[in-house]
Amino acid sequence: MRNMTLGMRKEAQKLIYTLADMHATEAAISITTGAVSGKNHVASKPGEPPNADTHFLDRSIHVEKTGPLTANSVADAPYAASLEFGDDKIAERPFMRPAATKIKKAVDRLAKEGIRRVNRGGKL
């Protein structure tokens, strides 16, 4: 990282943020696709992503920059972890882990290409 120029570092930061944003977007899409709010809302089945009702969960998903070259996609609704992993009251309804699996190939491809461009000193 010491040999990284400022331009290369900025391009690497953009790449990292973009990849985390892809994950956050896919997780939110999995919650909202086919969801019905209000009196016709139907809860998802265990093992499936939650079905949005109030949209509080899907709107809580975002990216946080955690360091110069790190970022996390986060769901910070108070019940996000209980839905993702389940608890003593509800079976798991994962949305973050399946989103990561779904975009893995695209992320790998974009990351490799981005790293090549950054190493060549080019822009993403």
Side-chain angles (χ1 to χ4, degrees), residues 25-81:
T25 300
E26 184 59 41
I29 287 170
S30 75
I31 294 167
T32 59
T33 300
V36 177
S37 297
K39 68 177 185 170
N40 294 324
H41 175 73
V42 176
S44 63
K45 295 177 184 171
E48 294 179 356
N51 283 335
D53 185 9
T54 64
H55 293 281
F56 187 75
L57 177 62
D58 56 277
R59 290 180 183 151
S60 81
I61 301 171
H62 61 281
V63 176
E64 294 178 354
K65 183 180 173 188
T66 56
L69 294 173
T70 58
N72 289 331
S73 48
V74 176
D76 60 9
Y79 49 86

Side-chain angles (χ1 to χ4, degrees), residues 7 11 16-18 23-24 26 34 43 45 47-48 51 60 63 67 73 78 88 90-92 100 112 116 123:
E11 292 304 312
I16 290 164
Y17 192 91
T18 298
H23 178 242
E26 184 59 41
K45 295 177 184 171
E48 294 179 356
N51 283 335
S60 81
V63 176
S73 48
D88 58 345
I90 189 166
E92 71 177 37
K112 286 176 187 173
R116 275 193 223 96
K123 294 198 177 239

